[in-house]
Amino acid sequence: MLLKVEDVTKRFGGLVAVDSVSFEIKEGEAFGIVGPNGSGKTTLYNMISGVYQPDSGRIIFDGRDITDLPAHARAPLGIGRTFQIPRPFPSATVRENVAVGAMFGRAQADVKEAMEISDYYIELVGLSEQANKAAGTLTPLEKRLMELARALAMKPRLLLLDEVMAGMNPKDIGNIIELLQKVRQEEKIAVVAMVEHLMHAITKFAERVMVMHQGRKLLEGPTMEVLNDERVIEVYLGKKIREGAEGAEGHRT
Amino acid sequence: MRGVHTLLIIYAILLIVGLTVPGMWQPVAFLMFYVALGQAFNIFLGLTGYVDFGYVAFLALGSYGMAIAMDSLYQTGLGAAILPIGLLLAALMSIMLSLAVGAVALRLRGAYFAIATIGVNEGFRYLIEGARLWGGSEGIIITGAMRKIFGREMANFISTMVADVLVFGIGLLAALTTYVIIHKRMGYALMAIREDEDAARVMGINVTKYKIMAFITSAFFAGLIGASAWTLKMTYVFPSDVFLITYTVEAIVIVMLGGAGTLLGPVVGGITYGLLKYYLSVILPGFQLLILAPLLVAIVVAFPEGIVGYLKERVRGTRFEGYIL
C-alpha cells in the first residue's frame, strides 16, 4: 500500500473540514476523489502534502508515518501535487519552474539534469513553445499544464491533482487523461485526481473513486458503481430530482 | 559568463579612474562603499525578497570585531597578522549575530520578519552603551594601536588606501558569490521562495534553511565591510556612528534602485545613489536629503524592477541578452 490515511480529522475553529476520513491508495493506481465545493477535498490534499497537520489521525506513506513531517520533507519521498488555483513562480521561465520540481522533489537533480528533465516534461504537456516565457504570462490553462509538468518533474510516486482538468474542453481533457495514463504506466505513479463536477472525466480516468460530503467519506469503491449509487446522486443532485424537476436548477453535473 | 564580464568592466573602469586621475581615489572609494554595501545586502534582500531593517548591525559588529582585535592584540607582537585576524573576528561576530537573529526571525513571514528585525539594531546599540560593553558609548579608538602595530607610515597607508582596496575586493567577492549562488540549486530555491514560499515548500524546498544560508552569507560580507570601511578607515568605532539605521535604508535604496536580485543591480544602484548624494551635497549642501528622497521615489515608481531589472526586460531576445544579468 502506497498511502494510508487513517482516521484523519482537521478542524478550523468550529468547522470540521475533514471528519475522521480513512482511505488507501495502491501503487500506480488511478484514484478519483469527488465531492461538492467545501466537502473537504482540498484540506485532505493539504494534509497529505504537509501544508496542514491533522488534529488527529495518521498518514502513512510507503510504510512510514509522515503525519508530523514538514511539507518540504515529504516531496523528496515522492509526493507531488498541483494547486486548484495554479501557483507558478511568476517571473521565472516555464523551464525554470519545472526544473525546480526536478531539483527538490524525489529526483533531487543537479541544475543541468534538472533542465533536461524539465525539457522532457514541458514537451510531454505540450508547452515547448512557451518554455522560455515567464510563467506569469501564461494563460490559466497553460499554467495548469505547467504545474502538471512541474509536479511530474519531481518524479513523484504519488501525484495529487487538484482540479487539473477544470476549464478544459472535452478534447483537452481527453489528451490530459491519455497523458496521465501514460506516465502512470511508464513511471508507476499513483495518480489521484480531485474533481468537483467533471464526472465524465473521472469515469474515463479513475479505477476507484471516493466521494466526500461535508468533510466525511460518503462512499468508496469501483468508479461506475459508486457514481451510480443513490446516496451519491442525492449529494450531487439533491433529493428533489426524484420528486420533481424544479429542484434541479442550480445544480448541474 | 557575459554578465560577469559587464561587472568586471565596470569595476575596472572605477579602479582605473580612481588610480590614474589625481584626487579621484577618495570619490571612487566613496562610491565603492555603496556598491559593496548593496552587493552584500543583495544576497539577502535581492535573493530572498525579505527586508532586514537591522542590517547595519552586521556592519557594526564587523567594525567592532576589527577594533577588538587591534585593541587587545597590539602588544602581543603578532604584527601585521592582526589585520587578517581582525577580519576573521569581524566575519565571525557578524555570522554569530545572523545565526541568532535568523534562527528566530526567519521563521516569520515577509512583513513580520521586517518588523522583528527593527529592534535588533537599536537593541544592540543600547546593550553596548548601557552595559558598557566594548568601551560603552565611548567606543574603541585604535589610532594608537594601529601605529604600534604597523608603524605611523603604514598605519596611514592602511587608512587611506588598504581599507578602500579591501572594500573594493569584498564588494567584488560578494558579487561573484551572488553569481555563483544564482546558478546553483540554492539560487533556484531562493527564487522559488521569493516568488511563492508555500508552493516552494510543497516542491520540497526547506525554506528556512535556504533563507538562513542567504542571511549568513550576506552578514559575512557586511561584517567585512564594517571592519574595513569603518574601523580601518576611521581608526575608531563609536556605537552612535555604526548602529545608524540610515545605512540600512541606504542599502535598501541601492538594491531597489539598481534591481533586487540582479548581479549588476547593486553596482548600478550604488554608483547612481553615491553620485546623486555626492553632487547634491556639493551643489545644494544641507538640502541633499530633501531632494534625494522624492527623486528616489520617482525612480522607484518609474522602474519598479530597478534600473537593471528594467534593462534586462528591454534586451530580452536581443544580442545584448546575457550581458545584463
Side-chain angles (χ1 to χ4, degrees):
Chain A
M1 210 48 74
L2 185 64
L3 179 77
K4 277 191 199 171
V5 173
E6 294 178 354
D7 211 17
V8 157
T9 298
K10 179 73 189 173
R11 292 185 196 87
F12 295 106
L15 177 83
V16 187
V18 172
D19 192 357
S20 46
V21 170
S22 301
F23 66 99
E24 294 181 344
I25 292 169
K26 292 194 273 287
E27 266 172 75
E29 191 178 16
F31 191 76
I33 300 178
V34 299
N37 192 19
S39 60
K41 303 186 303 290
T42 298
T43 306
L44 201 56
Y45 266 22
N46 281 335
M47 286 190 286
I48 298 170
S49 61
V51 177
Y52 302 145
Q53 308 283 326
D55 294 321
S56 63
R58 294 200 307 163
I59 297 167
I60 316 262
F61 183 74
D62 201 19
R64 181 176 167 186
D65 189 339
I66 61 164
T67 317
D68 297 322
L69 222 52
H72 67 79
R74 297 187 191 198
L77 297 178
I79 298 177
R81 73 170 284 185
T82 68
F83 295 92
Q84 185 169 11
I85 298 157
R87 301 183 76 159
F89 306 124
S91 64
T93 65
V94 172
R95 198 162 178 253
E96 289 166 338
N97 263 274
V98 178
V100 167
M103 280 180 222
F104 300 98
R106 196 166 72 95
Q108 291 286 319
D110 62 35
V111 176
K112 191 170 165 286
E113 269 179 297
M115 289 300 170
E116 286 162 14
I117 295 172
S118 171
D119 288 339
Y120 173 78
Y121 286 106
I122 286 173
E123 203 191 328
L124 195 70
V125 301
L127 284 178
S128 292
E129 280 179 32
Q130 279 78 23
N132 291 314
K133 271 196 197 169
T137 65
L138 298 179
T139 66
L141 182 71
E142 289 169 339
K143 280 182 189 160
R144 277 182 205 285
L145 292 171
M146 191 222 73
E147 272 209 338
L148 177 61
R150 190 172 66 178
L152 285 170
M154 294 168 75
K155 301 272 180 198
R157 299 181 61 206
L158 174 68
L159 176 60
L160 306 168
L161 303 174
D162 196 340
E163 298 281 0
V164 81
M165 293 175 277
M168 290 186 182
N169 64 39
K171 187 168 160 280
D172 289 334
I173 290 175
N175 289 340
I176 286 281
I177 289 175
E178 201 177 304
L179 187 154
L180 289 176
Q181 303 293 19
K182 180 177 141 83
V183 293
R184 196 165 70 81
Q185 275 149 23
E186 283 179 3
E187 306 184 28
K188 304 203 171 26
I189 305 174
V191 182
V192 183
M194 184 163 93
V195 298
E196 199 172 304
H197 292 303
L198 291 165
M199 292 309 147
H200 186 61
I202 219 74
T203 56
K204 277 207 277 179
F205 165 76
E207 295 161 339
R208 285 196 308 136
V209 296
M210 172 170 83
V211 180
M212 302 244 337
H213 181 54
Q214 292 175 347
R216 289 177 159 275
K217 180 165 96 173
L218 188 69
L219 210 60
E220 183 192 344
T223 306
M224 290 316 289
E225 213 173 282
V226 167
L227 293 184
N228 286 318
D229 189 277
E230 279 208 0
R231 284 165 290 175
V232 175
I233 293 170
E234 206 168 87
V235 164
Y236 268 94
L237 301 174
K239 281 181 184 172
K240 284 181 180 171
I241 189 121
R242 280 174 287 130
E243 295 166 3
E246 81 227 78
E249 61 190 39
H251 285 283
R252 284 182 295 129
T253 44
Chain B
M1 284 305 281
R2 285 174 299 182
V4 175
H5 292 164
T6 318
L7 180 86
L8 293 176
I9 289 167
I10 297 175
Y11 263 84
I13 292 171
L14 275 175
L15 196 61
I16 290 166
V17 169
L19 290 176
T20 57
V21 184
M24 278 305 280
W25 180 249
Q26 283 314 311
V28 166
F30 174 79
L31 292 183
M32 278 317 301
F33 169 73
Y34 286 119
V35 171
L37 179 65
Q39 256 149 357
F41 197 33
N42 190 36
I43 295 174
F44 183 65
L45 172 81
L47 296 184
T48 66
Y50 275 67
V51 182
D52 175 10
F53 279 110
Y55 193 69
V56 70
F58 297 136
L59 283 97
L61 272 198
S63 69
Y64 267 102
M66 179 60 87
I68 291 164
M70 292 275 180
D71 191 46
S72 54
L73 294 176
Y74 73 96
Q75 285 169 317
T76 57
L78 283 166
I82 297 174
L83 187 64
I85 292 173
L87 287 173
L88 204 69
L89 188 61
L92 215 64
M93 285 171 64
S94 302
I95 288 174
M96 299 282 273
L97 179 64
S98 73
L99 272 172
V101 174
V104 180
L106 278 177
R107 294 177 191 282
L108 302 171
R109 302 284 292 266
Y112 299 101
F113 171 81
I115 291 164
T117 55
I118 291 176
V120 172
N121 178 44
E122 294 297 303
F124 227 100
R125 177 183 160 183
Y126 288 115
L127 176 73
I128 289 174
E129 290 182 350
R132 300 201 53 76
L133 188 66
W134 304 330
S137 52
E138 276 103 68
I140 304 173
I141 298 167
I142 58 158
T143 323
M146 276 180 75
R147 282 184 188 156
K148 286 203 179 76
I149 297 166
F150 304 104
R152 181 179 288 266
E153 291 268 303
M154 192 59 194
N156 272 344
F157 184 66
I158 287 173
S159 297
T160 53
M161 189 74 194
V162 175
D164 299 326
V165 173
L166 275 173
V167 172
F168 198 92
I170 295 159
L172 187 58
L173 203 62
L176 295 177
T177 305
T178 308
Y179 180 80
V180 171
I181 291 174
I182 288 175
H183 291 87
K184 292 224 177 269
R185 292 172 90 235
M186 180 176 168
Y188 287 89
L190 292 173
M191 173 275 285
I193 293 167
R194 194 169 64 227
E195 301 266 314
D196 189 331
E197 196 166 327
D198 289 319
R201 206 172 262 135
V202 172
M203 309 299 307
I205 296 169
N206 185 343
V207 299
T208 307
K209 176 182 119 184
Y210 283 105
K211 283 190 288 188
I212 289 182
M213 278 166 74
F215 199 46
I216 292 172
T217 313
S218 182
F220 166 77
F221 287 113
L224 293 181
I225 293 169
S228 312
W230 291 347
T231 309
L232 286 181
K233 201 170 168 71
M234 306 300 179
T235 70
Y236 57 76
V237 184
F238 296 134
S240 55
D241 282 358
V242 293
F243 287 102
L244 269 185
I245 197 164
T246 318
Y247 291 109
T248 306
V249 176
E250 285 184 318
I252 295 170
V253 167
I254 290 162
V255 172
M256 301 303 280
L257 184 64
T262 63
L263 180 64
L264 298 174
V267 185
V268 174
I271 293 173
T272 312
Y273 178 77
L275 285 176
L276 277 173
K277 193 179 170 183
Y278 182 78
Y279 282 109
L280 283 174
S281 67
V282 172
I283 303 165
L284 292 163
F287 287 94
Q288 64 264 39
L289 278 178
L290 193 66
I291 297 166
L292 202 52
L295 200 62
L296 288 170
V297 171
I299 294 173
V300 172
V301 168
F303 305 107
E305 299 291 312
I307 299 168
V308 174
Y310 172 77
L311 289 175
K312 210 166 131 184
E313 278 303 309
R314 291 301 298 267
V315 300
R316 188 172 269 188
T318 71
R319 67 198 169 90
F320 296 107
E321 191 178 5
Y323 286 100
I324 294 174
L325 196 69

